[in-house]
């Protein structure tokens, strides 16, 4: 039977939550949009009169579509060129979803999204539904066709896998800007020592170019190696300008709730570097430069307001 206006309205009322769940599960905004659209097609084909709780039905369909996607994604990631990082979302993007509690903010962070690649599809689904969206284990069990006890066990296992040795620092927007400004001052000083002082001893730097933008196949590890790399990254040079097509403006921002640098050239975001900040210092730099993973960031950037650039790079 044809879908009614009421059916469409019920689906649209859930779209934002569905997109946020799918993004956390897949680490990709574009894939999340596709899965939500596929969920709508299932909703369109269903007899809504027999669906008692549309939100639960839609969540179950979406989650299982994401599980199928994650299974195939594992095979694709094995042939991915270089390091794989999630698609970053800039502040103000509705796909970020809930960030009211410390647990929700933690589950959204770029570091945790990257770490969730270690989890099995089921572990990832349980972790996201419980930690980020506060679903009770009874409902998670129904969504994933598990027992409630199994859901609890999977959640505890997933949390253990995602757990970090360093606690993430909770910082506000002003503090994030201060951290980024201090980092940029050190990175553009031409010296390694100021950078080393800002880093943890086991700091890492990872870049994702997707084979389209040059990025090191394996990240840098250790404060000195990372500091040396970053000093070189921010050193002006004709080759860098030629590579990106000019001299990008660099802004401070937040991405996935973390302090970030956003490089913008001719109104297009060409790089987002997320800083993982801990009480001990900056523990990681994750730099997304794959143009396929920056299209949504560009849309968010051009739609929102932003201040003056901190510097013009290269």
């Amino acid at each position: 039977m044809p879908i009614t206006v009421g059916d469409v309205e019920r689906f649209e009322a859930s779209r934002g939550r569905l997109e946020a769940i799918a993004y956390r599960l897949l680490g990709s905004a574009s894939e999340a949009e596709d899965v939500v659209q596929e969920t709508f097609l299932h909703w369109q084909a269903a007899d809504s009169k027999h669906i008692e709780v549309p939100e639960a039905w839609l969540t179950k369909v979406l989650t299982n579509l994401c599980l199928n996607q994650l299974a195939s994604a594992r095979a694709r990631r094995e042939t991915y060129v270089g390091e794989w990082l999630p698609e970053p979302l800039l502040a103000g993007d509705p796909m970020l979803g809930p960030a009211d509690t410390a647990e929700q903010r933690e589950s959204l962070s770029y570091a945790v999204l990257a770490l969730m690649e270690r989890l099995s599809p089921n572990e990832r689904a349980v972790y996201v539904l419980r930690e980020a969206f506060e679903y009770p284990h009874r409902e998670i069990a129904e969504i994933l066709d598990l027992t409630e006890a199994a859901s609890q066990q999977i959640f505890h296992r997933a949390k253990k896998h995602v757990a970090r040795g360093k606690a993430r620092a909770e910082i506000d927007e002003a503090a994030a800007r201060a951290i980024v400004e201090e980092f940029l001052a050190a990175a553009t000083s031409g010296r390694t020592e100021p950078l080393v002082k800002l880093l943890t001893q086991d700091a890492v730097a990872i870049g994702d170019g997707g084979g389209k933008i040059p990025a090191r196949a394996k990240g840098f590890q250790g404060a000195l190696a990372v500091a040396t790399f970053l000093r070189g990254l921010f050193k002006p040079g004709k080759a860098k300008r030629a590579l990106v097509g000019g001299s990008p403006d660099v802004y401070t921002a937040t991405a996935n709730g973390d302090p970030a640098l956003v490089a913008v050239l001719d109104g297009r975001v060409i790089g987002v570097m997320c800083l993982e900040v801990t009480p001990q210092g900056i523990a990681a730099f994750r730099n997304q430069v794959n143009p396929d993973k920056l299209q949504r960031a560009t849309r968010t950037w051009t739609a929102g307001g932003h201040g003056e650039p901190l510097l013009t790079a290269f």
Side-chain angles (χ1 to χ4, degrees):
M1 59 184 299
I3 192 168
T4 67
V5 172
D7 289 335
V8 173
E9 289 176 345
R10 278 189 287 274
F11 181 85
E12 291 302 325
S14 293
R15 180 183 289 275
R17 180 180 54 81
L18 295 174
E19 286 187 345
I21 292 173
Y23 169 71
R24 277 176 161 93
L25 284 174
L26 301 173
S28 166
S30 58
E31 290 181 9
E33 290 172 339
D34 290 343
V35 168
V36 170
Q37 187 57 32
E38 191 173 350
T39 302
F40 175 73
L41 296 177
H42 282 264
W43 174 249
Q44 190 177 28
D47 187 352
S48 61
K49 291 181 180 179
H50 298 294
I51 299 175
E52 294 182 6
V53 185
E55 180 180 299
W57 188 93
L58 290 168
T59 303
K60 183 179 178 71
V61 171
L62 175 98
T63 302
N64 282 283
L65 288 171
C66 286
L67 291 178
N68 293 337
Q69 188 87 341
L70 284 170
S72 61
R74 282 178 176 270
R76 293 198 306 274
R77 306 250 166 95
E78 288 178 1
T79 59
Y80 193 81
V81 179
E83 297 275 2
W84 184 95
L85 289 173
E87 183 174 346
L89 297 183
L90 300 180
D93 193 317
M95 195 177 279
L96 287 167
D100 299 323
T101 68
E103 290 78 13
Q104 288 171 335
R105 291 189 293 274
E106 178 77 13
S107 71
L108 179 65
S109 74
Y110 207 55
V112 168
L113 284 179
L115 284 168
M116 280 200 287
E117 288 297 301
R118 300 176 179 180
L119 305 182
S120 70
N122 257 16
E123 287 173 338
R124 189 160 181 160
V126 172
Y127 179 83
V128 166
L129 291 172
R130 179 63 181 166
E131 193 81 340
F133 294 89
E134 300 179 329
Y135 276 78
H137 283 291
R138 175 182 53 79
E139 292 184 23
I140 296 173
E142 292 174 359
I143 290 169
L144 297 175
D145 294 323
L146 303 167
T147 65
E148 190 170 345
S151 177
Q152 292 171 338
Q153 290 172 355
I154 291 171
F155 176 68
H156 291 306
R157 188 166 67 241
K159 283 203 73 170
K160 185 177 179 179
H161 287 166
V162 171
R164 298 282 284 174
K166 299 176 288 290
R168 177 171 175 262
E170 285 276 341
I171 54 178
D172 59 23
E173 189 173 339
R177 182 179 179 87
I179 289 167
V180 170
E181 289 177 348
E182 185 180 12
F183 162 69
L184 273 180
T188 55
S189 69
R191 297 184 297 124
T192 304
E193 293 80 5
L195 277 168
V196 171
K197 290 180 181 178
L198 295 178
L199 309 179
T200 61
Q201 285 303 305
D202 56 351
V204 298
I206 302 169
D208 178 349
K212 300 185 177 184
I213 300 294
R216 184 180 167 94
K218 190 173 183 180
F220 293 87
Q221 293 185 323
L224 182 58
V226 170
T228 303
F229 161 69
L230 292 170
R231 184 191 64 189
L233 180 66
F234 284 92
K235 185 177 181 179
K238 291 182 179 179
K240 294 174 186 175
R241 289 193 294 273
L243 177 65
V244 301
S247 297
D249 290 326
V250 179
Y251 296 82
T252 180
T254 56
N256 294 76
D258 294 324
L261 296 173
V262 178
V264 181
L265 182 64
D266 298 330
R268 178 171 54 90
V269 174
I270 64 168
V272 176
M273 178 184 284
C274 295
L275 282 62
E276 182 184 345
V277 179
T278 75
Q280 293 76 36
I282 302 175
F285 298 86
R286 295 180 175 87
N287 194 22
Q288 183 56 261
V289 292
N290 183 345
D292 293 343
K293 298 182 182 182
L294 294 171
Q295 295 176 16
R296 188 177 178 99
T298 294
R299 295 200 299 270
T300 303
W301 184 261
T302 55
H306 41 78
E308 294 298 313
L310 295 180
L311 61 86
T312 298
F314 313 150

